[in-house]
């Protein structure tokens, strides 16, 4: 999606994917807290989901969709994520 225009439907898919990847990562980090190799794949998938949101930068008219309470909570959690690369 990078560098491409995105519509509301596409952004909704990206946000749903972000939420799903975030939740999986949280679950795996708790389940495998002492074994980082077991949650590494979910870290990569979460990072990819975050990077996919770059597509929205060219579509300022969709920014309001980023302001939903659930998405804001995810963004706040990502800022504090243990993996600073995310």
């Amino acid at each position: 999606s990078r560098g491409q225009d995105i519509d509301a439907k596409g952004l909704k898919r990206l946000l749903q994917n972000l939420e799903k990847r975030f939740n999986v990562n949280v679950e795996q980090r708790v389940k495998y807290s002492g074994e980082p190799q077991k949650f590494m794949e979910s870290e990569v998938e979460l990072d990819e989901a975050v990077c996919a949101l770059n597509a929205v930068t060219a579509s300022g008219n969709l920014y309001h969709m980023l302001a939903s309470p659930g998405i804001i909570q995810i963004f706040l959690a990502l800022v504090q994520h243990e993996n600073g690369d995310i």
Side-chain angles (χ1 to χ4, degrees), residues 1 8 14 20 26 33 48 50 52 61-62 65 67 75 81 83 86:
S1 295
L14 290 177
K20 177 181 176 184
V26 168
S33 61
E48 290 171 352
V50 170
N61 61 316
L62 299 176
M65 292 178 67
F75 287 156
H81 198 278
N83 181 345
I86 292 184

Side-chain angles (χ1 to χ4, degrees), residues 14-53:
L14 290 177
L15 293 175
Q16 288 171 335
N17 185 52
L18 174 66
E19 185 174 15
K20 177 181 176 184
R21 300 299 173 201
F22 176 78
N23 289 333
V24 167
N25 182 251
V26 168
E27 290 171 12
Q28 289 190 353
R29 276 184 157 274
V30 169
K31 186 175 181 179
Y32 303 113
S33 61
E35 303 172 82
Q37 69 279 8
K38 290 191 176 181
F39 59 77
M40 189 57 59
E41 185 176 337
S42 73
E43 299 269 305
V44 171
E45 291 172 348
L46 177 57
D47 186 57
E48 290 171 352
V50 170
C51 289
L53 289 176

Side-chain angles (χ1 to χ4, degrees), residues 70-83:
I71 297 302
I72 290 173
Q73 287 178 332
I74 290 173
F75 287 156
L76 290 173
L78 289 173
V79 169
Q80 301 172 29
H81 198 278
E82 289 183 45
N83 181 345

